[in-house]
């Protein structure tokens, strides 16, 4: 008996080849086992239980047609082949579309039906699929997905690799890297599921289930791979539909279903691999030799039974002698800064992926529930109307465009919501955060629509007073409210929130000295386990005691309040509401310990516009009811939607200076704008439009291979990556970046203009 086994990589993220060989040697002591590999840097080729090694050129150097004939000859001669590589299994399935009696790998029809992330074949199993979205969708939609799932998301490639992406800049970098490595833009984002990881491994031949085991991870590597685990039987409620799935797919070979079981006991299927897992020999130790059962079914030769040595396994690191015919390769020369070879894909699997894509672009494509509109974001009608009102022949780019109708509509809707949520017991108001964008037009809209002016310095207070706000319509918070000296209003202000114990002491001293007056004085709190430089931390008993002592010194005629602010677009919408509920419980404790009733609650939030203006669930209405139930003394709730108001209120117009086309089909277009005008490019996407020079039509800009390079001589001056300029775009064309009216405008700076 001759058995070929591939996938011998044995690094930190190992392939199953060596484990398969160990199990086969135990089942068939006299079989000839040949290791198949595509790089002499794969340490598994030196494993002593291999009778021979069939070492090929790396995948990027292999002629697949010639190599395919060699594989066919080996199979026709009676050799059995067990693949330990997803991509190799896919190539073999394409090489033998009708299968081969000695190829112990799944057919292409079966592989297609387990394509992640949907894993359509698993519909009958008692599992759920974590929510996902294809990166074919617009960046605007991808950013919304990340916020919705609290930035607890994974960017995954079509075959291998996954990267946790806790922020937009990390996501963009990971997307660029994975797209380049795997030669495809078709990646996907998947929501993280918290729980314990477990797997089910199976072995089947021509649709007949030969055996299956369940494994729970008990120890993992830094990459999240199994280092130790325990083996058990697959429950009947899982085994029965799994057997039916194997039969329906006509499955041959090994397979693994990777899952996470949450605290409620629900199993979430992350992916199904068309091969045995790297921990395959752990099951053999527990008396379940699935590779042996596979060879037994294919050959008709009975495998030696596997003794049960225990239901738990772990790994150790062993040194083995190098085969003299395959001496260790040299390290690269260090003179160019190289420190060693990358060992993640030493056999060039990424090159195989590129070849397979070239042969069949649809092979193993990411399966989505709904295909997006070619990555084009939805552009609000008010954006188009405002932009079309400009005469761009007179606009010297780059130039910020004020979106009159859009801005007016945003403030009007916010005012209507506040009125709708207000009751006889609790008034709901909005505060416009002047720091977000101190443009007088926005401050005036805030005044006209019943907003309060939310300021972080006395200079901002003066800006609000200049537009027409009264001192009793001003809310002051932040760490530097007394700066600069000499500008504190003499009249009574509406609210004054202290950011620290020292700030509280300074405020009490100023009140006692008659240097300031406010209807409400309160504290900004920071709930435990929240990483922030702002607010009084509540996880220190000593600090909590000082807070209580300070609040007790407030004058009796001054109402007490609490301010809570966390940027929801940074921590995620669900996480923000979770912290909000936690904050209310801490407020109850503060009331009890101080004896002071909380009369004003300021709910800051750093809201992304779409999240704040989303009326589908009306969470703000529910929040008002919750506040009334938990803190019945509250008479006013303040929301601070500064970014939600300002960000959509302006756009940035720029022109293309030149377009550079490269041999790899990528395009670089230089524009006259830069990160000096778009400093927030790294933190969130912008919806983009191109104004056609011939028709004047505004065309949305979607995903593609073009990078928009800024005008500055700075390596990181890239204002947009992976966009698709509409056909016919040329130098001189106008591009418009929407959603630039928040911190893009207020934090823009003069640079590179002489």
């Amino acid at each position: 008996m001759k058995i070929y086994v591939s996938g011998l990589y044995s690094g930190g993220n190992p392939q199953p080849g060596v484990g398969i060989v160990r199990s086969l040697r135990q089942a068939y002591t006299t079989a000839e086992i040949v290791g198949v590999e595509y790089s002499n840097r794969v340490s598994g080729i030196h494993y002593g239980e291999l009778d021979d090694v069939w070492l090929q050129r790396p995948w990027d150097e292999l002629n697949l047609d010639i190599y395919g004939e060699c594989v066919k000859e080996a199979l026709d001669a009676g050799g059995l082949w067990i693949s330990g590589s997803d991509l190799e299994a896919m190539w073999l399935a394409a090489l033998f579309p009708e299968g081969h009696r000695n190829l112990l790998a799944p057919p292409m029809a079966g592989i297609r039906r387990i394509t992640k992330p949907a894993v359509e074949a698993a519909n009958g199993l008692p599992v759920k699929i974590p929510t996902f979205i294809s990166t074919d969708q617009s960046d605007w939609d991808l950013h919304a997905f990340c916020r919705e799932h609290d930035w607890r998301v994974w960017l995954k490639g079509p075959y291998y690799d996954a990267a946790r992406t806790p922020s937009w800049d990390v996501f963009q970098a990971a997307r660029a890297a994975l797209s380049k490595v795997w030669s495809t833009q078709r990646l996907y984002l998947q929501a993280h599921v918290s729980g314990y990881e477990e797997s089910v491994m199976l072995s089947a031949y021509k649709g007949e289930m030969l055996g299956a085991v369940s494994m729970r991870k008990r120890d993992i590597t830094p990459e999240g791979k199994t280092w130790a685990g325990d083996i058990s039987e697959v429950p009947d409620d899982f085994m029965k539909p799994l057997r039916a799935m194997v039969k329906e797919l006509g499955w041959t070979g090994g397979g693994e279903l990777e899952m996470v079981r949450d605290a409620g006991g629900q199993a979430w299927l992350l992916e199904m691999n068309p091969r045995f897992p790297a921990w395959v020999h752990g099951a053999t130790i527990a008396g379940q030799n699935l590779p042996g059962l596979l060879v037994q079914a294919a050959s008709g030769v009975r495998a030696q039974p596997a003794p049960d040595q225990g239901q738990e396994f772990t790994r150790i690191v062993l040194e083995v002698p190098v085969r003299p015919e395959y001496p260790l390769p040299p390290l690269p020369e260090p003179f160019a800064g190289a420190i060693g070879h990358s060992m993640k894909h030493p056999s060039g699997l990424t090159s195989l992926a590129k070849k397979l894509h070239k042969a069949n672009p649809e092979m193993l494509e990411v399966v989505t529930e709904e295909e997006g509109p070619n990555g084009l974001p939805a552009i609000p009608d008010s954006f188009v109307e405002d932009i079309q009102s400009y005469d761009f022949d007179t606009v010297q780019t780059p130039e910020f465009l004020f979106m009159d109708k859009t801005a007016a509509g945003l403030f009007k809707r916010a005012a209507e919501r506040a009125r709708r949520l207000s009751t006889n017991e609790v008034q709901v108001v909005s505060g416009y955060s002047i720091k977000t964008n101190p443009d007088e037009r926005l401050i005036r809209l805030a005044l006209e629509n019943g907003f309060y002016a939310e300021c972080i310095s006395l200079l901002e207070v003066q800006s609000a007073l200049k537009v027409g706000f009264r001192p009793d319509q001003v809310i002051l918070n932040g760490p530097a409210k007394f700066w600069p000296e000499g500008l504190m209003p003499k009249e009574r202000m509406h609210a004054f929130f202290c950011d620290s114990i020292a700030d509280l002491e300074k405020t009490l001293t100023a009140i006692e000295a008659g240097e300031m007056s406010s209807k409400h004085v309160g504290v900004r709190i920071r709930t435990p386990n929240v990483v922030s430089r702002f607010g009084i931390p509540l996880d220190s008993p000593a600090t909590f005691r000082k807070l209580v002592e300070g609040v007790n010194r407030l004058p009796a005629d001054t109402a007490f309040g609490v301010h809570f602010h966390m940027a929801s677009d940074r921590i995620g919408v669900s996480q923000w509401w979770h912290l909000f509920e936690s904050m209310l419980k801490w407020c109850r404790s503060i009331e009890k310990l101080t004896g002071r009733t909380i009369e004003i609650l300021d709910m800051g939030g750093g809201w992304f516009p779409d999240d704040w203006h989303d009326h589908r669930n009306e969470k703000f209405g529910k929040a008002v009811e919750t506040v009334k139930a938990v803190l019945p003394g509250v008479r006013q709730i303040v929301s601070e939607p500064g970014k939600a108001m300002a960000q959509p209120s302006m756009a940035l117009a720029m022109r293309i200076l030149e377009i550079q086309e490269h041999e790899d089909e990528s395009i670089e277009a230089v524009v006259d704008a830069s990160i000096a005008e778009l400093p927030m490019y790294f933190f969130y996407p912008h919806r983009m439009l191109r104004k056609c020079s011939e028709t004047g039509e505004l065309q949305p800009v979607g995903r593609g291979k073009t990078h928009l390079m800024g005008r500055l001589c700075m390596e990181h001056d890239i204002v947009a990556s992976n966009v698709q300029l509409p056909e016919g775009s040329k130098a001189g064309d106008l591009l418009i970046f929407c959603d630039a009216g928040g911190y893009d405008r207020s934090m823009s700076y003069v640079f590179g203009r002489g």
Side-chain angles (χ1 to χ4, degrees), residues 382-383 386 402-414 441-442 445-446 449 613 644-646 648-650:
S382 67
F383 282 22
D386 280 324
F402 189 77
M403 315 273 272
D404 291 276
K405 287 184 169 53
T406 297
L410 293 171
F411 280 92
K412 181 180 179 181
R413 288 197 298 275
R441 291 167 291 187
L442 294 174
L445 280 171
N449 286 277
H613 295 288
M645 298 293 108
S649 69
M650 288 186 178

Side-chain angles (χ1 to χ4, degrees), residues 294-369:
L294 177 60
V295 171
Q296 177 178 281
S299 67
V301 179
R302 185 172 180 80
Q304 293 188 23
D308 185 349
Q309 304 174 62
Q311 299 303 301
E312 297 181 333
F313 68 88
T314 190
R315 287 184 176 145
I316 60 175
V317 177
L318 293 174
E319 288 73 29
V320 298
V322 169
R323 292 176 181 269
E325 65 270 33
Y326 300 116
L328 294 176
L331 284 171
E333 293 183 356
F335 305 109
I339 58 173
H341 291 281
S342 170
M343 292 299 292
K344 192 167 187 180
H345 303 292
S347 61
L349 281 176
T350 56
S351 299
L352 176 58
K354 188 173 183 178
K355 287 185 175 184
L356 294 178
H357 274 293
K358 187 175 182 180
N360 182 359
E362 301 301 317
M363 188 176 290
L364 261 194
E365 64 181 12
V366 173
V367 175
T368 60
E369 294 175 342

Side-chain angles (χ1 to χ4, degrees), residues 393-658:
D393 290 336
T394 64
V395 172
Q396 178 62 51
T397 56
E399 180 67 32
F400 283 97
L401 313 174
F402 189 77
M403 315 273 272
D404 291 276
K405 287 184 169 53
T406 297
L410 293 171
F411 280 92
K412 181 180 179 181
R413 288 197 298 275
E416 291 172 348
R417 170 189 271 182
R419 286 192 293 269
R420 186 175 68 254
L421 296 180
S422 296
T423 66
N424 293 332
E425 298 85 15
V426 180
Q427 180 192 26
V428 177
V429 298
S430 296
Y432 178 66
S433 175
I434 291 179
K435 73 177 184 298
T436 311
N437 188 337
D439 190 289
E440 283 193 9
R441 291 167 291 187
L442 294 174
I443 300 175
R444 187 169 291 107
L445 280 171
L447 176 64
E448 294 170 353
N449 286 277
F451 279 58
Y452 282 75
E454 190 268 309
C455 309
I456 62 169
S457 73
L458 295 178
L459 287 176
E460 289 191 354
V461 172
Q462 295 302 314
S463 295
L465 298 179
K466 178 182 177 182
V467 170
F469 277 96
R470 304 186 307 272
D472 64 355
Q473 294 173 307
V474 170
I475 299 171
L476 259 172
N477 62 47
K481 296 178 292 298
F482 291 89
W483 175 85
E485 294 183 4
L487 296 180
M488 184 71 71
K490 302 301 181 183
E491 301 87 351
R492 199 175 209 198
M493 290 176 290
H494 184 69
F496 199 94
F497 292 103
C498 303
D499 194 68
S500 65
I501 294 297
D503 192 15
L504 177 59
E505 291 291 332
K506 185 175 183 179
T507 300
L508 291 169
T509 300
I511 292 175
E512 292 166 355
E515 297 173 357
M516 59 158 287
S517 176
S518 179
K519 180 180 179 181
H520 304 90
V521 174
V523 292
R524 176 173 176 173
I525 63 174
R526 185 201 318 167
T527 56
N529 300 317
V530 170
V531 178
S532 174
R533 56 164 286 205
F534 300 109
I536 299 174
L538 301 180
D539 48 4
S540 166
T543 301
F544 206 126
R545 183 178 65 253
K546 292 178 181 179
L547 184 156
V548 171
E549 293 171 352
V551 172
N552 285 334
R553 289 173 52 193
L554 286 175
D557 63 344
T558 300
F560 176 54
V562 168
H563 175 52
F564 165 75
H565 186 113
M566 284 297 295
S568 67
D569 63 340
R570 182 175 67 85
I571 65 173
V573 177
S574 299
Q575 180 69 2
W576 191 94
W577 286 110
H578 174 76
L579 290 176
F580 169 73
E581 293 176 358
S582 175
M583 180 270 303
L584 293 182
K585 295 175 182 178
W586 282 100
C587 285
R588 286 278 302 270
S589 298
I590 292 172
E591 282 190 330
K592 291 180 180 179
L593 292 171
T594 62
R596 295 295 300 259
T597 299
I598 296 174
E599 298 185 40
I600 183 172
L601 186 65
D602 191 317
M603 298 165 45
W607 290 98
F608 205 79
D610 286 1
D611 299 333
W612 199 86
H613 295 288
D614 184 3
H615 295 276
R616 289 174 297 177
N617 298 321
E618 199 49 82
K619 289 185 177 179
F620 287 95
K622 297 176 183 177
V624 172
E625 295 301 317
T626 302
V627 171
K628 290 164 61 176
V630 178
L631 302 172
V634 169
R635 294 292 173 261
Q636 188 179 66
I637 298 175
V638 183
S639 179
E640 297 177 9
K643 187 157 52 180
M645 298 293 108
Q647 188 171 300
S649 69
M650 288 186 178
L652 179 68
M654 64 187 75
R655 283 189 167 84
I656 299 174
L657 299 179
E658 66 180 35

Side-chain angles (χ1 to χ4, degrees), residues 2-79:
K2 192 172 188 177
I3 310 171
Y4 296 87
V5 179
S6 64
L8 301 176
Y9 175 65
S10 302
N13 184 7
Q15 293 176 314
V18 170
I20 294 171
V21 172
R22 294 178 68 192
S23 297
L24 291 178
R25 180 58 70 208
Q26 185 172 315
Y28 297 97
T29 58
T30 61
E32 181 183 357
I33 304 178
V34 180
V36 180
E37 257 308 331
Y38 306 89
S39 171
N40 63 343
R41 298 187 185 278
V42 174
S43 58
I45 64 175
H46 303 291
Y47 182 54
E49 293 294 341
L50 289 171
D51 295 294
D52 197 3
V53 174
W54 197 19
L55 187 63
Q56 306 299 319
R57 302 299 299 172
W59 284 107
D60 57 344
E61 300 177 20
L62 268 177
N63 182 307
L64 294 185
D65 293 333
I66 295 175
Y67 180 50
E69 288 298 321
C70 294
V71 172
K72 186 175 184 302
E73 289 177 8
L75 296 180
D76 289 344

Side-chain angles (χ1 to χ4, degrees), residues 4-7 16 20 81-90 92 103-106 254 274-276:
Y4 296 87
V5 179
S6 64
I20 294 171
W81 190 292
I82 300 179
S83 178
S85 162
D86 299 47
L87 283 174
E88 186 198 64
M90 183 180 70
L92 290 170
L103 177 60
L104 306 185
R275 51 164 172 77
F276 290 116

